[in-house]
Amino acid sequence: MGARGRVLLWLQLCALTQAAYKVWVPNTNFDNATNWSQNRTPCTGAAVEFPADKTLSVLVREGHSISDMLLPLDGEFVLASGAGFGAADAGSRPDCSTARARFLDPDRFLWLDPRLWRPGDAARGLFSVDAERVPCRHDDVVFPADASFRVGLGPGAGTVRVRSVQALGQTFARDEDLAAFLASRAGRLRFHGPGALSVDPEACADPSGCVCGNAEAQPWICAALLQPLGGGCPQATCLEPLRPEGQCCDLCGAVVSLTHGSAFDLQQYRARLLHAFLALPQYQGLQVAVSKVLRPPGLREASGTKADTEIQVVLVEAGPETGGAGRLARALLEDIAEHGEALGVLSATARESGAPVWGGTAAGLNAPARAGLAGGLAASGLLVLMVLLAGALLLLRREGRLRWRRRDEADPARAGAPRGFHNPLFYAADSAEALPAPKSDQRSSSRSYFLNPLFGEGEAEA
């Protein structure tokens, strides 16, 4: 069985035992264009230069014709079948640059850089927080056998501990075997730096999962991750963003925290999220990270629980649509309220980020903003209508089509009229208040009347 067959067999065994493993991504292959200063492999007749003060191993897969080569301080060329080097005159190809092709610094690849690892068992819709993208305490580590590599251990994180290391077709599951390999020339060409690497074959035996164990190394993990950005986090695109445990920067979405009992199974719950929720059309654009994390001491005291760990479910949106993470978080709380006892979940809490800063269409998150916008438009429309109506009235008045007079000018006799009336039927003969003297009608002196508020004084006749 070849080296690739042994690696595949080993990965299958990992899958059967539900062991997580992470694969190293970069390499120092000669035929990898990203390893060269011009972002392309040396062309025919090029002058090739390796860093003079570096140590490395380089895998060569193809044949190359070059004019000259400056070798590194120490290293090796591993030639695949049919690979090799030949001589060619400088400038033999007109399209080949006269600048020297320089091999980039092989020491730029660090173990603690999350960008340089990929999970070997990731399912669609799953991701890991930044600290867990680097191999965890119970992970198996794979360095592909069909590539050369160089890894920097450290700085500052002390000893890196994993379950096993697969390199050069060998599996190192005992500390003494790994130590012997690291001390050999082959190990020194591939591993360097002030840190240390050790293995412990003990697997995670807790069905509820195990803490990753990278909390101490997280400052260096974040420093390596953010180095291309100048060391600072990009600004989140939402109000009140969240920063889950193990994450280097704020993110927009939701975080559900679960306290659990002995019946909780992390793998089963992760599968439940994938098949019962993320498979639904309304959650297609979401990604979820599920892991056991240390519970913050302050939160532990506030909740009154003695558990020092919890299950963290991080929900983020991979597409432009927003609001789905909050809806899924609320759906998970409803699911736990109904099935929590069967799942082994004792309690659950959820946190959501705020509304999008720009371009958001989150239902529920930006409803107040939309309501305010609708109210503002309605008020503006009413104001415009009132202005148009007032303008029309003034125009009609100026043209003489509309006239109005004050009430006292329209009916002077009624200007001093009383606002009430005295009904003689409700007054006794000995009333202390004298009845008002009726005014006579100029047209007849034989008629009497009383004031009725329903009619004007000039209209009231007995």
Side-chain angles (χ1 to χ4, degrees):
M1 182 183 297
R4 179 173 296 183
R6 289 195 296 270
V7 172
L8 293 176
L9 177 61
W10 183 83
L11 295 179
Q12 293 172 356
L13 292 175
C14 287
L16 292 175
T17 58
Q18 293 185 346
Y21 64 95
K22 293 186 172 68
V23 181
W24 180 254
V25 174
N27 60 61
T28 57
N29 292 357
F30 190 97
D31 304 282
N32 184 354
T34 62
N35 285 328
W36 296 93
S37 57
Q38 300 174 359
N39 202 31
R40 68 177 186 180
T41 56
C43 53
T44 302
V48 175
E49 179 180 332
F50 286 88
D53 58 343
K54 300 297 181 179
T55 300
L56 74 159
S57 173
V58 178
L59 174 65
V60 184
R61 292 181 172 276
E62 301 175 358
H64 296 273
S65 298
I66 56 178
S67 60
D68 65 87
M69 179 187 295
L70 180 62
L71 296 176
L73 175 67
D74 188 14
E76 66 179 12
F77 288 94
V78 181
L79 302 180
S81 177
F85 292 101
D89 294 335
S92 56
R93 279 185 53 181
D95 60 335
C96 187
S97 173
T98 57
R100 301 182 71 89
R102 290 182 171 84
F103 197 87
L104 299 180
D105 184 5
D107 294 349
R108 67 187 186 277
F109 302 126
L110 301 178
W111 178 287
L112 295 178
D113 191 340
R115 299 169 300 165
L116 306 184
W117 298 94
R118 65 173 178 84
D121 54 354
R124 180 182 177 86
L126 291 180
F127 79 101
S128 298
V129 293
D130 295 328
E132 297 175 11
R133 292 165 61 186
V134 174
C136 296
R137 163 69 182 77
H138 297 283
D139 287 347
D140 297 299
V141 175
V142 178
F143 293 95
D146 57 350
S148 55
F149 64 91
R150 185 161 173 82
V151 187
L153 300 174
T159 301
V160 175
R161 290 183 173 84
V162 294
R163 183 171 179 261
S164 67
V165 174
Q166 172 90 6
L168 302 184
Q170 304 179 64
T171 300
F172 303 99
R174 298 194 314 160
D175 223 9
E176 51 269 29
D177 295 337
L178 178 62
F181 168 72
L182 295 176
S184 67
R185 185 174 186 275
R188 293 195 307 271
L189 289 175
R190 291 163 177 82
F191 294 90
H192 70 97
L197 178 63
S198 67
V199 293
D200 186 344
E202 181 182 359
C204 177
D206 189 346
S208 66
C210 296
V211 175
C212 175
N214 282 340
E216 181 182 351
Q218 183 168 339
W220 289 274
I221 293 174
C222 294
L225 177 65
L226 301 176
Q227 189 271 334
L229 301 177
C233 287
Q235 186 174 0
T237 59
C238 62
L239 301 175
E240 300 177 358
L242 307 173
R243 184 171 297 189
E245 291 296 318
Q247 192 71 11
C248 293
C249 298
D250 295 339
L251 54 78
C252 301
V255 176
V256 179
S257 301
L258 312 177
T259 58
H260 60 88
S262 57
F264 181 80
D265 189 294
L266 182 64
Q267 295 290 345
Q268 291 181 5
Y269 188 71
R270 186 181 284 120
R272 180 182 181 85
L273 291 179
L274 287 174
H275 301 301
F277 292 96
L278 292 183
L280 299 178
Q282 61 266 36
Y283 302 132
Q284 285 296 303
L286 297 180
Q287 291 185 327
V288 59
V290 187
S291 60
K292 178 181 282 188
V293 298
L294 292 175
R295 204 170 159 85
L299 184 61
R300 192 186 320 161
E301 296 170 0
S303 62
T305 179
K306 296 181 179 179
D308 57 355
T309 61
E310 64 184 11
I311 303 301
Q312 177 177 259
V313 182
V314 184
L315 307 170
V316 297
E317 287 145 2
E321 295 294 327
T322 59
R327 291 192 295 271
L328 180 54
R330 293 186 288 274
L332 292 182
L333 293 182
E334 295 174 359
D335 180 64
I336 291 169
E338 183 177 357
H339 305 289
E341 183 176 358
L343 296 173
V345 178
L346 304 179
S347 64
T349 58
R351 296 179 290 144
E352 297 181 34
S353 60
V357 175
W358 53 267
T361 58
L365 288 180
N366 58 349
R370 291 200 303 268
L373 179 60
L377 292 176
S380 300
L382 182 59
L383 180 61
V384 171
L385 182 61
M386 292 176 65
V387 171
L388 291 177
L389 180 59
L393 293 176
L394 289 175
L395 182 61
L396 291 174
R397 176 172 170 79
R398 288 180 179 179
E399 294 179 355
R401 298 182 182 180
L402 180 66
R403 292 179 293 175
W404 63 79
R405 293 181 297 174
R406 293 175 54 185
R407 183 176 179 181
D408 54 351
E409 297 175 353
D411 192 359
R414 298 182 55 188
R419 296 185 180 180
F421 70 93
H422 296 280
N423 194 333
L425 299 178
F426 292 94
Y427 283 89
D430 55 349
S431 174
E433 182 179 356
L435 291 175
K439 296 182 179 181
S440 61
D441 193 334
Q442 297 297 327
R443 296 170 296 179
S444 174
S445 59
S446 64
R447 296 183 183 183
S448 65
Y449 68 96
F450 68 93
L451 298 176
N452 191 329
L454 299 178
F455 302 95
E457 184 178 348
E459 298 175 276
E461 296 182 357

